[in-house]
Amino acid sequence: MSIIATLIGQMITFGLLVWFTMKFVWPPLMQALEERKKKIADGLAAGEKGKQSLELADKKAKVYMKEAKEQAAEIVNLAQKRANDLAEEKREAAKQEGERIILQARSEIDREIQQAKEELRQQVAALAVSAAEQILRKEVDINKHKEIVNNLGNQLGQA
Amino acid sequence: MASEVHEATGPTAYIVHHLTDLKVGEGFWTFNLDTLFFSALLGLIFILFFKKAADSATSDVPGPLQNFVEMIVEFVDTQVKDSFHGRNELIAPLALTIFCWVFLMNAMDLLPVDLLPGIAALVGIPYLRVVPTTDLNETFAMSISVFFLIIYYSIKVKGPIGFAKEMLLTPFGPWMIPFNLLLKLVEELAKPISLGLRLFGNMYAGELIFILIALLPWWVQPALSFPWAVFHILIITLQAFIFMVLTIVYLSLAHEDH
């Protein structure tokens, strides 16, 4: 149990081990660790960013939704109004058409009544003339009373 | 064989036999071949294992080997960052090497005390100590290397004049220069000595207890060696950790300007 040259040998071994570790073991391991640390940090940052943009998109979507709802309501309102207007117009047109038809029918009726009256009058006149003729043929000289009968006929025609 | 030696010459010889190194050389130029061999072998296992992990290290999902190595590396890195605030490319790899190497050498303690010496005896090697950290040469080799680093960085960071000032003028000012110097010398020398002796003492005592347990009848041995081994799992890790942390602390002190 004494300090001997073994100590020097051990120091050399120790020195070689430390040198080797410093040169070939430590740097690549530390580099890998650093890189992984960076990767994880990047990943976390990206995750945070994604979360933020998701929130932003959510907000945007809500705004769009609201706008769309408003627009839809407006369109429905407009359509309803337009439908009401159209119905009103149609009703108005139908009413006018009806009135026109009634008016036409009425004038037709008037015209036919007039025609019938005219025909009736001519028939009565002809009947009266033929009756008078039959009477007069027995009692009156045609030539003598011709003027009177004509006058009568004229009067009847004027009535 | 070990047991034959034990039967032939009694328990004291058995213990002494187990604590004798396989030596080559005379006087100062003696080499403890077992210490040199096992520490180099364990160091080789350490660097090859970590080199393999470092070569295949990716920043993507790590495999089990890389995970394990990264765990240790991050643990050491955290310790270094906690105590050392300067920029030094040496300290973290140094701390990692100390932690892993000392841990592996200490872990040899957990092998049965007669296993490797018994096998060695079969092939004709008379003595074998398998735990390099029970050899003062090993622990002092590391602590003295650390001591040299402390001196080197003290002079490099503070400059020769700054370092001399610190040695001569603190803590009691210019009127007490000899006393200051004495105090500082003791303080600095205490660092490598305590560092080396602490590890050596703990491992030597632990190994001695294992040897003593091995002397008991076979039916008592498991009842004692099992709890002691479990306890030693803690000790070997703790001693490796303490050696590493103290190294970091001493080097960070060397970097601090007063």
Side-chain angles (χ1 to χ4, degrees):
Chain A
M1 199 53 55
S2 52
I3 299 296
I4 42 177
T6 309
L7 182 113
I8 297 168
Q10 290 298 89
M11 281 171 80
I12 293 168
T13 312
F14 183 52
L16 284 175
L17 287 177
V18 172
W19 171 78
F20 190 89
T21 309
M22 196 169 88
K23 205 84 184 166
F24 300 110
V25 173
W26 191 264
L29 282 171
M30 276 334 255
Q31 198 188 340
L33 284 173
E34 282 301 315
E35 267 170 29
R36 181 157 339 110
K37 210 188 263 173
K38 198 168 163 288
K39 261 188 193 173
I40 290 170
D42 286 354
L44 285 176
E48 191 64 29
K49 218 172 153 190
K51 213 169 124 194
Q52 270 179 1
S53 62
L54 183 69
E55 262 170 30
L56 211 73
D58 239 22
K59 262 187 205 162
K60 256 189 195 165
K62 264 181 194 161
V63 170
Y64 283 145
M65 203 90 121
K66 210 176 147 202
E67 269 177 19
K69 262 185 192 163
E70 277 169 5
Q71 255 173 13
E74 209 175 298
I75 288 169
V76 167
N77 276 346
L78 222 69
Q80 219 150 30
K81 210 175 145 209
R82 180 100 182 92
N84 282 346
D85 285 0
L86 270 176
E88 198 65 32
E89 254 171 47
K90 280 264 160 25
R91 200 178 296 140
E92 199 63 34
K95 210 170 161 189
Q96 275 174 9
E97 179 74 8
E99 272 169 8
R100 199 180 57 78
I101 288 169
I102 288 169
L103 224 66
Q104 208 179 3
R106 208 168 268 162
S107 69
E108 187 87 353
I109 289 165
D110 279 355
R111 202 174 54 79
E112 290 208 338
I113 287 173
Q114 211 61 38
Q115 206 178 346
K117 265 185 184 170
E118 188 65 27
E119 270 174 19
L120 209 63
R121 191 183 293 136
Q122 276 175 8
Q123 273 176 11
V124 168
L127 213 65
V129 169
S130 80
E133 222 175 52
Q134 278 172 4
I135 296 166
L136 287 175
R137 206 164 278 163
K138 280 176 185 166
E139 292 175 13
V140 179
D141 184 3
I142 292 175
N143 293 324
K144 255 176 129 175
H145 299 102
K146 197 177 185 175
E147 197 178 333
I148 298 167
V149 173
N150 277 350
N151 279 347
L152 191 69
N154 281 348
Q155 271 170 8
L156 276 168
Q158 277 163 1
Chain B
M1 270 166 72
S3 55
E4 280 168 14
V5 174
H6 161 213
E7 277 160 12
T9 52
T12 315
Y14 176 76
I15 295 170
V16 169
H17 175 260
H18 269 276
L19 295 176
T20 306
D21 283 300
L22 180 66
K23 287 181 179 129
V24 167
E26 285 293 321
F28 176 75
W29 291 105
T30 308
F31 291 96
N32 295 341
L33 291 180
D34 42 10
T35 302
L36 288 168
F37 172 73
F38 282 112
S39 61
L41 179 73
L42 292 167
L44 209 63
I45 289 171
F46 156 64
I47 54 172
L48 290 182
F49 187 75
F50 273 63
K51 179 83 168 73
K52 192 163 176 290
D55 282 346
S56 58
T58 70
S59 56
D60 294 325
V61 182
L65 170 72
Q66 198 190 339
N67 237 333
F68 175 71
V69 166
E70 271 180 14
M71 198 181 74
I72 296 173
V73 165
E74 286 212 296
F75 165 71
V76 172
D77 198 44
T78 311
Q79 295 301 326
V80 172
K81 279 183 179 141
D82 280 351
S83 328
F84 185 76
H85 301 295
R87 272 199 62 82
N88 190 321
E89 304 232 309
L90 172 73
I91 289 188
L94 175 75
L96 177 69
T97 311
I98 287 174
F99 181 68
C100 295
W101 198 32
V102 171
F103 176 82
L104 286 174
M105 289 192 290
N106 289 353
M108 294 297 283
D109 211 4
L110 297 174
L111 292 175
V113 284
D114 275 321
L115 179 65
L116 292 179
I119 295 170
L122 283 181
V123 296
I125 297 169
Y127 299 103
L128 195 68
R129 283 176 74 191
V130 295
V131 191
T133 39
T134 56
D135 185 349
L136 261 181
N137 291 298
E138 160 53 33
T139 60
F140 272 124
M142 281 196 295
S143 65
I144 290 171
S145 304
V146 171
F147 177 68
F148 286 155
L149 284 174
I150 293 171
I151 301 295
Y152 171 73
Y153 281 115
S154 289
I155 294 173
K156 194 187 168 198
V157 171
K158 295 159 191 164
I161 297 166
F163 180 60
K165 262 189 191 166
E166 195 184 302
M167 290 300 281
L168 296 174
L169 301 180
T170 51
F172 295 120
W175 299 107
M176 303 277 270
I177 282 178
F179 187 64
N180 286 342
L181 183 62
L182 185 71
L183 210 66
K184 272 284 174 187
L185 280 178
V186 170
E187 189 189 321
E188 292 301 320
L189 288 175
K191 285 175 185 174
I193 292 172
S194 67
L195 204 55
L197 281 181
R198 179 182 303 109
L199 179 59
F200 164 74
N202 271 282
M203 297 323 294
Y204 190 83
E207 182 70 354
L208 198 62
I209 300 280
F210 274 123
I211 295 168
L212 289 175
I213 290 169
L215 280 170
L216 296 170
W218 65 269
W219 44 270
V220 193
Q221 286 185 24
L224 292 171
S225 63
F226 175 71
W228 185 242
V230 171
F231 178 60
H232 242 250
I233 295 174
L234 175 70
I235 296 290
I236 59 178
T237 319
L238 197 65
Q239 286 306 318
F241 177 68
I242 288 171
F243 204 110
M244 174 189 81
V245 168
L246 284 178
T247 304
I248 299 168
V249 168
Y250 290 157
L251 285 175
S252 97
L253 282 177
H255 279 74
E256 268 169 26
D257 239 324
H258 289 284

